[in-house]
Amino acid sequence: MELLTPHCRCLQNPFTGFHSCRVPEPQKKETRKCCRRSRCSSSKQDSFSVAEKQQDTGGGSIHYTRWGNVLNSSMEVFAVKLPGRESRAREPFFENMQQIVDEVLAALLPLLKEKPFALFGHSFGAFTSFAVAEDLKKLHNLEPVHMFLSGASAPYSEIRIKAPKRSELPDDEFLQWLTSIGGTPQELLANPEVLQLFLPALKADLHVVENYRCSKPDVPFLGCPVTCFDGKEDIPHDLHAWRNITSGDFTIRMFDGSHFYLKDAGNEKILLDYITKILETAEIYYL
């Protein structure tokens, strides 16, 4: 999940991402632990926040952290590192979505109260963005100025609920599926020793998302605009079901490519230009 604002914060992992601007002293240690900070704007320090949650097979917080060098100078990206990955490799994996939400809010809630923010999430990150946004609204009466959701059906949709549980596959079958969706470097797939270190994190993340359950909202709990992105060659996702979370504008944009369409340089530029334009417009209203 990624947090985006005209004064921006962000969150991220191999399956996630998150962003934020200033860190109040009581939260400084916790925020450093779970978030990778890519940039702080010196020219517009009181602008927007972006939070990013990327939950993909392959990638990591480093890939999305560099977005902070591409988005405009009023935005900053904080990539969230969950336990079991990168510098937190020795920590046990989280087992459910609420653990992720609780850690994100413990680290970033003070920042989210300071400035307007947006959320971006791809794949598992879309679910975590949804779960974070739901708790922010219900518990703290906060909501993003925009939600950007990518590569995933709404968590309560029939397509998603009936999808097979890949995390329970034997390693060889799991690798066949991983290869089929693309996006994971071939040099990684061809190195058995590295794969043995990599697979547990992938399966742990998929276990969380595959066992995450929520009900379709009776009424929209958000009022902000929501934009969904997806690859035209990816497996079908029920993007329209995301419409139920907001009473605001709802837009779907499709890209050439499959599940990891956003790793293509051309697609990534179009995506980031679009996000920048949306948030620059939001900045006019909030500043």
Side-chain angles (χ1 to χ4, degrees):
M1 179 188 73
E2 178 177 27
L3 179 72
L4 311 161
T5 80
H7 299 211
C8 178
R9 309 157 193 169
C10 163
L11 139 76
Q12 185 161 13
N13 94 339
F15 287 75
T16 65
F18 211 89
H19 164 114
S20 172
C21 271
R22 288 176 301 177
V23 182
E25 200 61 35
Q27 294 292 331
K28 184 177 280 187
K29 181 176 180 180
E30 181 68 23
T31 303
R32 280 201 307 264
K33 184 177 182 180
C34 84
C35 300
R36 180 191 296 277
R37 184 177 186 174
S38 69
R39 182 187 66 201
C40 185
S41 166
S42 58
S43 60
K44 302 175 79 175
Q45 288 186 354
D46 297 318
S47 229
F48 225 139
S49 258
V50 181
E52 176 181 84
K53 188 73 176 173
Q54 298 291 342
Q55 191 73 22
D56 317 328
T57 46
S61 65
I62 294 174
H63 174 81
Y64 298 100
T65 298
R66 68 181 183 80
W67 283 16
N69 298 321
V70 179
L71 294 168
N72 82 16
S73 61
S74 66
M75 301 176 194
E76 185 179 15
V77 174
F78 287 74
V80 168
K81 295 180 293 183
L82 296 183
R85 299 145 188 89
E86 299 175 341
S87 61
R88 304 184 68 183
R90 294 181 181 274
E91 299 178 44
F93 298 118
F94 281 154
E95 297 181 358
N96 58 68
M97 184 66 75
Q98 194 59 50
Q99 289 177 299
I100 297 174
V101 172
D102 289 346
E103 172 154 307
V104 168
L105 294 187
L108 293 174
L109 184 59
L111 302 171
L112 304 184
K113 290 179 177 179
E114 291 179 2
K115 305 182 181 104
F117 62 93
L119 300 175
F120 175 91
H122 177 71
S123 194
F124 173 28
F127 301 142
T128 52
S129 292
F130 169 84
V132 167
E134 188 174 41
D135 267 24
L136 279 172
K137 185 65 174 182
K138 291 181 177 179
L139 301 180
H140 307 285
N141 197 29
L142 295 172
E143 68 173 77
V145 299
H146 205 108
M147 287 274 285
F148 301 97
L149 303 167
S150 172
S153 300
Y156 43 79
S157 70
E158 287 296 317
I159 288 179
R160 183 257 166 174
I161 292 172
K162 293 179 179 179
K165 290 191 174 183
R166 310 290 186 181
S167 64
E168 297 177 356
L169 291 173
D171 285 355
D172 57 345
E173 294 181 33
F174 182 81
L175 285 172
Q176 290 177 12
W177 167 74
L178 194 64
T179 303
S180 71
I181 65 174
T184 303
Q186 287 301 314
E187 55 269 28
L188 175 62
L189 294 173
N191 190 324
E193 293 182 359
V194 175
L195 275 176
Q196 290 308 309
L197 300 175
F198 190 59
L199 284 179
L202 297 183
K203 286 192 168 186
D205 285 342
L206 284 174
H207 172 81
V208 170
V209 72
E210 289 173 348
N211 289 280
Y212 173 52
R213 293 289 180 267
C214 67
S215 300
K216 177 181 175 181
D218 294 329
V219 295
F221 63 90
L222 296 175
C224 66
V226 171
T227 301
C228 289
F229 307 109
D230 211 356
K232 295 176 183 177
E233 286 78 54
D234 199 357
I235 60 172
H237 292 127
D238 188 359
L239 302 179
H240 289 279
W242 287 109
R243 183 71 179 90
N244 297 297
I245 72 175
T246 185
S247 59
D249 293 339
F250 180 75
T251 305
I252 293 176
R253 294 199 58 173
M254 303 298 292
F255 289 81
D256 292 332
S258 57
H259 188 63
F260 293 100
Y261 73 89
L262 72 175
K263 288 191 175 183
D264 175 84
N267 285 340
E268 184 181 55
K269 184 180 187 307
I270 295 171
L271 181 73
L272 295 181
D273 285 349
Y274 179 84
I275 290 173
T276 298
K277 181 179 179 180
I278 291 293
L279 295 184
E280 285 177 341
T281 301
E283 186 173 9
I284 293 173
Y285 293 104
Y286 280 86
L287 297 182

